[in-house]
Amino acid sequence: EIDSENAMILNNYAYYLSVRKKNLEKAKQMSFKSNQLEKDNGTYQDTYAWVLYQLKEYKSAKKWLLKALINGGEKSAVVVEHYGDVLYKLGEKNEAINQWEKAKKLGGDSGFIDKKIREGEVYE
């Protein structure tokens, strides 16, 4: 309400909601708007993808994560790990493990990355 045109605020609040799995439809709207306000921002694209993931819209999440990877996310352990999670949910287990291993090499330490790699399953 205070600054509904601030892409950073919209993105950060949407991510906050997605991590807590609360008000996901509101998070989806806010995150989408942040991407309209600031195009080609890999961080914002990752947030939108993560909201979609929480909503179990995995195919759409994959599309947005591919955008995020193109726009700098390939250097982010978080984005790469998110991509692995989505691939797993889409049944692409081997590729998911590859992405989790890549995230680990990028410094990923989500608390679950080692378990994901070792057991080949998503943990949140």
Side-chain angles (χ1 to χ4, degrees):
E1 291 178 14
I2 294 170
D3 192 355
S4 63
E5 297 297 312
N6 185 313
M8 185 175 68
I9 290 172
L10 290 166
N11 177 74
N12 290 350
Y13 190 51
Y15 192 73
Y16 169 86
L17 291 173
S18 73
V19 169
R20 285 155 185 75
K21 300 177 185 176
K22 304 251 185 213
N23 299 321
L24 292 173
E25 286 299 328
K26 180 178 183 175
K28 183 178 178 180
Q29 292 171 357
M30 292 185 333
S31 182
F32 186 77
K33 186 171 183 179
S34 73
N35 279 284
Q36 287 179 314
L37 292 169
E38 192 170 321
K39 301 202 184 312
D40 301 328
N41 183 314
T43 299
Y44 297 175
Q45 291 165 336
D46 173 62
T47 296
Y48 189 61
W50 196 243
V51 171
L52 294 170
Y53 176 89
Q54 297 297 352
L55 289 166
K56 298 179 178 22
E57 296 178 27
Y58 303 122
K59 287 182 181 178
S60 293
K62 181 180 179 181
K63 290 177 187 175
W64 280 88
L65 279 165
L66 288 170
K67 292 179 185 185
L69 290 166
I70 290 168
N71 290 305
E74 80 281 355
K75 297 174 186 158
S76 166
V78 172
V79 175
V80 174
E81 185 173 352
H82 284 171
Y83 186 51
D85 292 355
V86 168
L87 291 172
Y88 180 86
K89 292 290 189 177
L90 290 171
E92 300 177 45
K93 184 177 175 181
N94 290 334
E95 187 55 30
I97 294 169
N98 288 338
Q99 294 303 314
W100 294 331
E101 288 172 343
K102 187 187 292 186
K104 174 86 174 167
K105 287 178 187 170
L106 288 168
D109 189 19
S110 67
F112 293 109
I113 194 74
D114 291 326
K115 191 173 183 179
K116 288 177 182 180
I117 294 167
R118 184 175 59 252
E119 297 181 16
E121 292 187 38
V122 166
Y123 293 93
E124 298 173 19

